[in-house]
Amino acid sequence: EAGVAQSPRYKIIEKRQSVAFWCNPISGHATLYWYQQILGQGPKLLIQFQNNGVVDDSQLPKDRFSAERLKGVDSTLKIQPAKLEDSAVYLCASSFLAGSYNEQFFGPGTRLTVL
Amino acid sequence: SQKIEQNSEALNIQEGKTATLTCNYTNYSPAYLQWYRQDPGRGPVFLLLIRENEKEKRKERLKVTFDTTLKQSLFHITASQPADSATYLCALEEYRFSSGSARQLTFGSGTQLTVLP
């Protein structure tokens, strides 16, 4: 079974530039998550999709971050404009909500450095 | 405010010993608690899930306990090996919405475990 795919793996940009990350979840997984992981911290949920609808985006800085999940499969996360404090690893995860079990499968992440 | 705390210091142990990692939480009423392993440059990998009505869960050399009175989970790795060296994350799962359709994880900051040969 193929895992969660993310690209690019690394990105370096100047502040105020824009950047986009792509995620392809595991086939059949209805729920997709984007997390931000700052060095030395645990992942922090940014947004959660159920199929192609947003379930929770309460922790997404909407003035600069946006995300979409077209056709309930792939997803993109965009930052525009980037700030220095956005330097982090952006993790995508997916899960198949079967009953009450919610194991999440994570991709390798995209390491973003904002200069 | 809600808080999840894991061992504040990195943990170094000798190969063959049992590693014990702690996860304490406040102001949560989690339905589940999960443990993940994260290696450098990789995403977290699920290890174990324990429900609020379970006291203990085992999987091979791993054991997790969950004490909702103490608001604490302990994660044990017996007969530890250098390959067990990684960061271990605990995560609490809560129902955020009345519909129960949005199950979300809140992660602790992790404990970095090093098993010395």
Side-chain angles (χ1 to χ4, degrees), chain A residues 21 35 47-48 64 75:
Chain A
F21 312 127
Y35 290 89
I47 188 167
Q48 177 181 350
R64 298 184 300 105
S75 177

Side-chain angles (χ1 to χ4, degrees), chain A residues 27-63:
Chain A
S27 177
H29 281 192
T31 309
L32 184 146
Y33 314 80
W34 282 102
Y35 290 89
Q36 178 192 61
Q37 187 173 25
I38 293 171
L39 188 65
Q41 298 181 20
K44 171 190 163 186
L45 180 68
L46 293 176
I47 188 167
Q48 177 181 350
F49 292 93
Q50 180 77 15
N51 296 309
N52 61 345
V54 175
V55 172
D56 183 17
D57 62 358
S58 58
Q59 299 189 91
L60 187 74
K62 298 181 190 62
D63 57 333

Side-chain angles (χ1 to χ4, degrees), chain A residues 5 14 17-18 25-26 52 68-69 73 78-79 86-88 94 106 108 111 115:
Chain A
E14 304 263 332
Q17 285 187 323
S18 62
I26 291 173
N52 61 345
E68 61 181 5
R69 188 182 185 196
V73 183
K78 297 179 181 177
I79 308 175
D86 297 332
S87 293
S94 68
F106 285 80
R111 181 176 298 277
L115 302 174

Side-chain angles (χ1 to χ4, degrees), chain B:
Chain B
S1 62
Q2 295 175 321
K3 189 184 292 186
I4 303 172
E5 291 184 333
Q6 298 190 239
N7 300 55
S8 58
E9 301 293 328
L11 184 62
N12 295 335
I13 64 167
Q14 210 63 41
E15 183 176 6
K17 300 292 185 183
T18 296
T20 299
L21 284 63
T22 61
C23 176
N24 296 297
Y25 59 92
T26 55
N27 296 324
Y28 278 101
S29 297
Y32 307 93
L33 189 146
Q34 301 186 16
W35 284 88
Y36 286 77
R37 169 183 173 143
Q38 187 171 26
D39 291 284
R42 295 177 174 244
V45 174
F46 171 81
L47 296 175
L48 280 169
L49 175 151
I50 187 164
R51 295 175 174 80
E52 60 181 336
N53 61 351
E54 297 176 316
K55 296 292 185 185
E56 182 179 298
K57 201 76 163 290
R58 291 175 186 261
K59 178 182 176 182
E60 298 172 351
R61 294 184 297 111
L62 308 180
K63 184 179 85 171
V64 172
T65 63
F66 192 13
D67 189 326
T68 55
T69 301
L70 292 178
K71 296 187 182 296
Q72 180 182 76
S73 175
L74 298 178
F75 178 80
H76 307 273
I77 306 175
T78 58
S80 60
Q81 304 166 0
D84 296 326
S85 299
T87 296
Y88 291 86
L89 299 159
C90 74
L92 301 183
E93 181 177 89
E94 284 192 298
Y95 292 105
R96 293 287 290 270
F97 302 100
S98 58
S99 67
S101 63
R103 298 179 176 86
Q104 299 181 346
L105 287 178
T106 301
F107 285 85
S109 57
T111 297
Q112 185 174 340
L113 172 68
T114 301
V115 181
L116 304 169

